[in-house]
Amino acid sequence: MHEPASDRLAAETYRRSRGAWRIFALVAVALAILVGLGRFAWPEGAGAPYIARLVIDGTIATDRARLAAMEALVKDESVAAVIVAINSPGGTTAGGEELYEALTRLRAAHPTVAVIDELGASAAYMSAIATDRVLARRLSIVGSIGVLYQHVNAGKLLDTIGVGLDKVASGPLKAEPDINEPMEGPARDSIAALVDDSFQWFVDIVAERRNLERAAALRLADGRIVTGRVGVQNGLIDAIGGEREALDWLAEAREIAPDLPVRTVWPLPSGGIDFIGTFLGSFLGSFLGEQARIALGMPQRTIPLDGLVSLWQVDARF
């Protein structure tokens, strides 16, 4: 029995209509996602004044992308001020120096305030003092002015397992000290001179930026860490507070409108339509990777620190 032509036409129209609505629904969902996430990829009111937030988190090392983002801020006339949000134990001396110099250039272009959260030590403190004002929580950890070089002497272990090392070097201090011998003699003197050169520069900028006599800065540069409260007392930081207090100071001291939007400019978000795929892929990869590391009891983050470091503690997690 054949169905009437009118019924077939109605069924076909229904199928086409249903397919069209499915496509419309998918497009609507995609547009909703783009609108919801677009604020990360396309800042609102391009050219409108805003306060930039630069986040310095984790172990510090040199970073070309971060440096390029900071140089772009220097030239960005829509930036009214910069808040540097710090939560870091420090890192390499070169990484700290790079941040210090970049923030010095940024300070010359815009008012800058450093806000130390839990931790702002060593190279992170070095970075903070490049700004116009340094704030920290009352119980934040700050300071640890100093430079570190560590050497592991595994000679006895290698002897126990029967491993011997040999080398041909172009000079007596090339690749010294070796892993199978103590750090002593000319090798130790060479490393000590390297550490001292970096340390003296660190003390100099602390004295200059914190308006301290060099002798006073040197007394504080024995590697000690202090709370934010003590840091205010000895001149290492300016005041107790967080981002709200930073905004208050910018309004009072630099006449920056307190209702300006605060926009995170580093770490950089991905741009354009690729943001969604990049975001989801990065999130899933990072999340699954972190969970696997946690399940296996492995360090959750690994950043090799070669050479001199200005770090509060050398930890396997970094």
Side-chain angles (χ1 to χ4, degrees), residues 79-237:
V79 174
V82 180
I83 293 176
V84 186
I86 296 175
N87 190 13
S88 168
T92 67
T93 50
E97 179 190 1
E98 178 182 83
L99 268 175
Y100 175 83
E101 293 182 343
L103 286 169
T104 297
R105 292 190 293 273
L106 196 55
R107 185 183 76 242
H110 310 291
T112 59
V113 185
V115 177
I116 296 172
D117 294 323
E118 282 84 3
L119 183 59
S122 294
Y125 178 72
M126 180 191 297
S127 304
I129 62 176
T131 64
D132 292 306
R133 188 167 178 83
V134 183
L135 304 179
R137 296 294 180 187
R138 183 173 285 99
L139 299 180
S140 298
I141 293 175
V142 301
S144 188
I145 302 167
V147 179
L148 170 70
Y149 181 96
Q150 285 188 326
H151 169 67
V152 175
N153 178 11
K156 291 184 179 179
L157 173 62
L158 295 176
D159 289 341
T160 299
I161 61 178
V163 174
L165 297 179
D166 200 359
K167 69 179 180 183
V168 175
S170 58
L173 294 179
K174 181 63 177 176
E176 288 289 332
D178 245 330
I179 193 173
N180 64 334
E181 58 189 25
M183 182 166 51
E184 58 186 13
R188 187 179 191 88
D189 294 340
S190 174
I191 297 298
L194 184 72
V195 169
D196 188 63
D197 183 57
S198 298
F199 174 67
Q200 296 301 330
W201 179 78
F202 198 169
V203 174
D204 286 342
I205 64 171
V206 170
E208 176 187 349
R209 293 298 306 148
R210 299 309 305 162
N211 195 26
L212 297 170
E213 294 291 335
R214 196 177 191 283
L218 196 56
R219 284 194 296 271
L220 296 170
D222 56 1
R224 75 181 72 181
I225 54 172
V226 298
T227 63
R229 183 183 65 83
V230 175
V232 172
Q233 293 175 354
N234 61 27
L236 290 179
I237 68 172

